[in-house]
Amino acid sequence: MKQTAILGAGVMGETLLSGLVRAGRRVDQLLVGEKRAERARELEERYGVAVVGNVEAAAKADTVAIVVKPQDMGDLLDEIGPSLRPGQLLVSLAAGITTAYIESRVPEGVAVVRVMPNTPALVDEGMAAVSPGSHCSEDHLREAEELMASVGRVLRIPERQQDAVTAISGSGPAYIFFVVESMIEAGVHLGLPRTTASELVIQTLVGSAKMLRETGTHPTVLREQVTSPGGTTASALRELEIHKVRAAFLAAMESARDRSRELAEGT
Ligand SMILES: NC(=O)c1ccc[n+]([C@@H]2O[C@H](COP(=O)([O-])OP(=O)(O)OC[C@H]3O[C@@H](n4cnc5c(N)ncnc54)[C@H](OP(=O)(O)O)[C@@H]3O)[C@@H](O)[C@H]2O)c1
């Protein structure tokens, strides 16, 4: 029976745990490493899962998912490193931590996969990008993909693209929330009650997202379909172009990519 351990049961760790349980993973195939007794009890009660020490979880599991903050990664690897063995799979969800960094702190032959998740995983609509380290087999990669598929979609990418992915899908939900906030504020300026503006904007976002996914039509085509010549939408889009919103998005994402690189280098 294959065991999966989750070390670091914060927001993302619990998201993964609950996704796996809902996806049908048996709780006796799951282990959680958690140091706070109160939090351990809470997770045991909520999911019926065994909560043990990090070292025990890492030693028993075939797959170890590490979901601690990047700054806690070094200490955790020092703690569990001696208990890991070749052939085990280590899946890291920590932003900016390279597979080379992890491989240098675990025994030779431990397979490492790096993942960039995003927060819509909380509602099973996550977007995760996975990259293999240097000792990873196809089976290891598939196992990591299956893990993340329990909370959304998964793409396989070369590790050198991880900073760009962080800028697009990792930070992406924040940009979308920013646009939603801006549109709601605009609705209020146009005289709509805040609750009305919120409902209009959120349903417009969900509807547009569903159109993109379900029709598979290019966004430019979808945008042109609602842009009659000389009409209201054309007038609004002209203002967005005048205010260089497209250029601002490019600059924002380049900046996120560069920051991700800096953080990975520890600056
Ligand atoms: N792309 C994204 O949007 C995104 C979103 C979420 C998460 N992530 C990634 O996911 C990771 C976790 O983020 P999060 O938001 O879930 O953070 P979080 O809520 O702070 O969770 C981290 C958890 O790890 C625990 N922890 C710290 N050191 C530990 C150790 N040595 N052993 C066991 N547990 C330990 C913490 O416990 P204490 O509270 O007791 O210290 C906490 O419960 C991060 O590396 C982040 O980069 C990315």
Side-chain angles (χ1 to χ4, degrees):
M1 184 177 72
K2 286 216 164 193
Q3 293 268 9
T4 299
I6 296 174
L7 307 186
V11 177
M12 192 47 86
E14 185 175 354
T15 298
L16 196 57
L17 174 62
S18 76
L20 286 169
V21 171
R22 275 179 284 114
R25 194 74 69 105
R26 281 167 39 186
V27 286
D28 59 357
Q29 293 181 318
L30 296 168
L31 286 168
V32 174
E34 170 58 52
K35 47 190 165 66
R36 278 184 299 127
E38 195 187 321
R39 176 74 173 146
R41 253 197 322 279
E42 190 177 286
L43 295 167
E44 277 172 338
E45 277 169 21
R46 198 171 295 161
Y47 301 99
V49 71
V51 183
V52 296
N54 289 332
V55 171
E56 186 185 340
K60 281 188 176 160
D62 304 280
T63 300
V64 181
I66 303 196
V67 207
V68 299
K69 292 278 189 202
Q71 61 269 27
D72 294 322
M73 193 65 154
D75 286 349
L76 182 60
L77 290 175
D78 287 345
E79 186 187 356
I80 65 167
S83 321
L84 296 171
R85 57 187 183 278
Q88 255 179 322
L89 169 63
L90 224 160
V91 182
S92 162
L93 281 79
I97 304 281
T98 63
T99 58
Y101 173 92
I102 298 170
E103 284 167 357
S104 70
R105 281 162 180 78
V106 298
E108 180 81 23
V110 171
V112 178
V113 172
R114 174 175 168 189
V115 180
M116 173 42 71
N118 72 5
T119 53
L122 281 163
V123 291
D124 291 345
E125 288 289 355
M127 181 69 248
V130 304
S131 305
S134 48
H135 312 290
C136 230
S137 67
E138 179 61 26
D139 283 351
H140 286 131
L141 254 180
R142 278 220 203 97
E143 174 62 29
E145 286 173 340
E146 205 179 295
L147 199 69
M148 298 314 301
S150 68
V151 288
R153 296 194 176 206
V154 188
L155 261 186
R156 202 181 278 198
I157 58 152
E159 188 167 7
R160 64 175 186 282
Q161 293 177 355
Q162 281 281 359
D163 293 312
V165 166
T166 303
I168 302 295
S169 58
S171 304
Y175 318 146
I176 304 295
F177 299 140
F178 184 84
V179 169
V180 168
E181 263 183 276
S182 308
M183 286 178 68
I184 292 172
E185 280 310 305
V188 172
H189 281 296
L190 299 185
L192 296 174
R194 189 170 293 277
T195 49
T196 306
S198 297
E199 181 153 2
L200 293 174
V201 174
I202 293 166
Q203 178 54 22
T204 301
L205 175 84
V206 173
S208 307
K210 263 189 129 166
M211 274 179 86
L212 280 165
R213 177 179 283 176
E214 289 177 13
T215 66
T217 307
H218 193 280
T220 305
V221 175
L222 293 175
R223 179 173 56 73
E224 283 172 355
Q225 284 169 359
V226 277
T227 313
S228 329
T232 57
T233 312
S235 180
L237 290 171
R238 188 189 56 200
E239 286 300 319
L240 292 176
E241 294 293 8
I242 289 170
H243 287 86
K244 300 188 171 28
V245 172
R246 198 185 291 266
F249 267 99
L250 174 57
M253 279 164 238
E254 275 177 342
S255 175
R257 190 262 329 263
D258 295 347
R259 186 68 188 130
S260 173
R261 269 187 200 151
E262 279 172 17
L263 290 173
E265 286 159 8
T267 54

